[in-house]
Amino acid sequence: MSQSLVKIAAVWLLGLMLAVAAAIVSINLVNNSVAGPQQPVREYLSALQKGEGEKALGLLRASVPQSNPAMLDGTALQTAAARITDVKLGAAEERGANQAMVPMDYTIDGSHLRTEFLLERSGTEWLFFHKWSFVPAALPVLDVTVVNSSEATVNGVPVNMPNGRNSLAVFYPGEYEASLNGQYFSAPATRATVTGGDARPASLNLLTEATGALKEAVSGKVKEFLDSCAAEADKQQKLQPDCPFYHATNNRVMDGTIDWSITDYPTVSIEPFGGRWVVAPLDGKARIKARQVDLFTGAATDINSVHDFSFTTRLDIDGDTVKLTPQLNY
């Protein structure tokens, strides 16, 4: 073989070796980037942000515990992921048995958090590129309770609350907010952050309160009852009507002179008790004006007295209908 042919062969061999080395470097780069264990995490986070629950569940390979699935798709899922910012995926750390842990640092509402995803090598693609998948696990469950209500709103989605409670399967990481904004009952929003699937997150507990609209409606019913009662007492000319108030005297009261009026209407307070909403005892003042005759002297004098009164009432609410049933103790 001539010297020129040897030189040509050497050049070809060097080129082949460089090409192989470049290919190996390229494969390693791909395996450490788009084919690395971080890639499924990127795809999973993207599915959460788009509200694609079915895709996220398939990527996570997670089982869904017996629970309400309202948070696993659409608006509720997008809302949970929308507050995740400043995401940084760390380098994968070997965990043995073809497994790796990918750390994800991020921020939710100003808090710096971390979630660790465990993945496993599940094969290769095109002979050289590693394929990674999440190690299967169960989704966490978020418990939600609400006082004296059969519904609540979680991440903008109405959720039924049988007996005031429900359990919701949730993806992670994410933030979940529950609230109640009804016509007659409401509860301030409360939030829980879910960072991983290995620990049960804190419950969301809604402390329901009567709204101003309900207090106004009940106050109106109370005023209507008392005014009606006073008017009926005047009509019947009774000192002791079927009302919370009365007047006692040993003198004879002249017919046609009795005039009842309410001077102080009760302040309404509504609180939960024993699974119901109850109205606190209602305290007020009533004035009676009349003309009386002393049975011994025959002298006539005016009555102008203010009497404290108190009574309780049963509150029933059916949709938009408020019903009061006064409970009078004689």
Side-chain angles (χ1 to χ4, degrees), residues 1 48 66 88 197 230 242 298 307 316:
M1 181 180 296
L48 296 185
Q66 186 174 359
K88 296 180 179 62
D242 295 330
H307 295 284
D316 293 291

Side-chain angles (χ1 to χ4, degrees), residues 298-330:
T301 57
D302 290 329
I303 299 174
N304 189 349
S305 300
V306 175
H307 295 284
D308 295 330
F309 65 82
S310 181
F311 69 103
T312 59
T313 185
R314 177 186 173 91
L315 173 62
D316 293 291
I317 301 172
D318 184 9
D320 296 336
T321 303
V322 177
K323 180 182 178 182
L324 286 185
T325 307
Q327 311 289 312
L328 303 180
N329 298 318
Y330 299 106

